[in-house]
């Protein structure tokens, strides 16, 4: 091989590496924190219900059936973007949609839901944020799909888009329903 | 006038440094003694805030960071070791929460990649130097005209 070509090849290799770097950064979110909890049992929890704080609702009430846990808050702008989709599709997901109100003033959260609509089966409020830490929540919105055995099967950070809904979430829900007894 | 103004400027700058971002949102925790505080500071500096990902848990003013600092503090009080606290956090947030990633299957490239690149570079340099000195020796032996410098 001609030795004069070597620098050119080296340059091409560096170019390819840089190109891959650019491509990679456009096709994955470098800020996304991969959850170690996928495939693990969801934490047990018991939290006050937003609409009636004297009532508690928790993992025991949800045991035995798959559910979708959606972390939201009235202070979260991205949750506003996600909200219309939940309003449209929330009732026909095939699994109950549980709202997880994260570090929010209950009054603000109730007002937010009455203004924009309440797509949730039930909304639980985690004002201190302790259960959220057990779930590895880093912010809102985040969404967890939990199966009938209480195992976290899927987690999505950032608003669910129609593409994510049809491409990822609905197939996973369908798969859960076929494997359920 | 001039010195007065510069003194004013300097004091403003000093005030900005002293009061500025240094301890912006960091809540006071009831440390029992200096050792406990030092241990806490050391530990939280090795942990990454999940919200402002370029900040350590020690620096961040994000609400989640405050919650996690409180949890770390409470666990220290419960007599848990630094390793146990780190395990507790990685169980929830993965290796991402550690600034110092552990050596395991998925991270060997991260740990040894730079060393491998250095090795490749050293081999390339050695080969080039060898070849050039051989060419130079051959050239001096045959009394050829000196290299025109065309070659790279």
């Amino acid at each position: 091989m001609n030795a004069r070509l070597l620098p050119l090849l080296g340059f091409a290799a560096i170019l390819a590496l840089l190109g891959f770097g650019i491509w990679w950064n456009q096709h994955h979110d470098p800020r996304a924190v991969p959850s170690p909890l996928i495939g693990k049992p969801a934490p047990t929890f018991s939290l006050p219900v937003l609409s009636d704080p004297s009532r508690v609702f928790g993992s025991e009430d949800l045991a035995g059936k798959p559910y979708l846990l959606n972390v939201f808050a009235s202070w979260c702008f991205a949750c506003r973007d996600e909200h219309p989709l939940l309003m449209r599709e929330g009732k026909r997901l095939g699994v109950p949609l549980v709202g997880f109100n994260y570090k929010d003033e209950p009054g603000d959260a109730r007002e937010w839901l009455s203004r924009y609509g309440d797509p949730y089966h039930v909304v639980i409020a985690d004002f201190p944020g302790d259960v959220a830490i057990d779930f590895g929540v880093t912010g809102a919105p985040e969404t967890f799909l939990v199966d009938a055995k209480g195992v976290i099967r899927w987690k999505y950070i950032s608003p669910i888009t129609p593409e994510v809904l049809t491409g990822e979430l609905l197939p996973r829900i369908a798969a859960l329903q076929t494997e359920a007894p | 006038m001039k010195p007065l103004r510069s003194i004013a400027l300097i004091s403003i700058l000093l005030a900005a440094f002293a009061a500025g971002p240094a301890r912006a949102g960091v809540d006071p925790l009831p440390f029992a003694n200096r050792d406990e505080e030092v241990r806490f500071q050391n530990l939280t500096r090795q942990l990454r805030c999940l919200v402002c990902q370029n900040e350590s848990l020690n620096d961040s003013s994000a609400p989640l960071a405050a919650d996690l600092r409180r949890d770390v503090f409470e666990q220290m009080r419960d007599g848990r070791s630094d390793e146990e606290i780190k395990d507790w956090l990685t169980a929830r947030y993965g290796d991402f929460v550690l600034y110092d990633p552990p050596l395991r299957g998925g991270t060997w490239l991260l740990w040894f990649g730079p060393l491998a690149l250095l090795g490749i570079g050293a081999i390339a340099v050695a080969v080039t130097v060898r070849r050039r000195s051989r060419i130079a020796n051959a050239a001096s032996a045959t009394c050829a005209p000196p290299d025109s410098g065309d070659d790279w």
Side-chain angles (χ1 to χ4, degrees), chain B residues 1 12 16 25 41-42 45 61 66 80 94 99 113 129:
Chain B
M1 184 66 208
I12 288 170
Q41 305 288 1
N42 278 338
R45 256 191 278 272
S61 56
R80 299 246 226 146
Y99 267 123
V129 167

Side-chain angles (χ1 to χ4, degrees), chain A residues 3-4 6-7 30-37 40 102-103 127-130 132-139 155, chain B residues 48 50-54 63-64 67-68 70-71 74 88-97 117 131 150-152:
Chain A
R4 278 170 186 266
L6 267 176
R31 290 179 54 87
V33 183
S35 178
L37 287 166
K40 303 241 171 69
Y102 176 50
K103 290 183 87 69
F127 183 67
D130 292 330
I133 289 175
D134 285 341
F135 267 96
V137 167
T138 61
K155 175 186 180 182
Chain B
R48 167 149 56 173
L50 283 305
V51 184
C52 313
Q53 296 177 353
N54 291 329
L64 177 63
D67 290 352
L68 289 174
R70 191 198 55 214
D71 282 334
E74 280 168 7
W88 182 86
L89 278 165
T90 41
R92 283 156 180 75
Y93 295 104
D95 290 344
F96 206 90
V97 75
L117 283 179
R131 193 188 296 148
D150 259 358
D151 213 339
W152 67 285

Side-chain angles (χ1 to χ4, degrees), chain B residues 53-108:
Chain B
Q53 296 177 353
N54 291 329
E55 284 187 308
S56 75
L57 217 50
N58 188 45
D59 301 322
S60 180
S61 56
L64 177 63
D67 290 352
L68 289 174
R69 275 198 297 275
R70 191 198 55 214
D71 282 334
V72 167
F73 180 71
E74 280 168 7
Q75 294 192 34
M76 276 173 56
R77 275 285 161 89
D78 291 345
R80 299 246 226 146
S81 72
D82 288 5
E83 283 315 307
E84 283 170 324
I85 295 172
K86 283 185 187 170
D87 288 347
W88 182 86
L89 278 165
T90 41
R92 283 156 180 75
Y93 295 104
D95 290 344
F96 206 90
V97 75
L98 304 173
Y99 267 123
D100 206 1
L103 182 56
R104 64 168 68 130
T107 58
W108 65 268

Side-chain angles (χ1 to χ4, degrees), chain A residues 151-167:
Chain A
V151 174
I152 297 178
R153 301 294 286 265
W154 181 74
K155 175 186 180 182
Y156 191 74
I157 298 176
S158 75
I160 294 177
T161 59
E163 293 74 38
V164 172
L165 181 81
T166 50

Side-chain angles (χ1 to χ4, degrees), chain A residues 54-129:
Chain A
S54 62
R55 243 180 81 211
V56 290
F57 187 87
S59 32
E60 267 176 33
D61 302 291
L62 291 160
K65 52 191 172 191
Y67 63 96
L68 195 68
L69 189 82
N70 178 248
V71 181
F72 78 102
S74 67
W75 46 259
C76 155
F77 287 109
C79 298
R80 284 275 324 269
D81 296 340
E82 184 182 60
H83 201 70
L85 181 132
L86 296 181
M87 286 302 292
R88 210 166 51 239
E89 308 288 342
K91 301 279 188 225
R92 42 196 177 114
L93 288 170
V95 291
L97 178 62
V98 177
F100 187 97
N101 188 227
Y102 176 50
K103 290 183 87 69
D104 207 356
E105 294 291 343
D108 293 350
R110 279 193 287 263
E111 199 202 309
W112 195 85
L113 286 176
S114 65
R115 182 181 303 170
Y116 301 113
D118 182 355
Y120 300 109
H121 175 71
V122 61
V123 179
I124 47 180
D126 186 15
F127 183 67

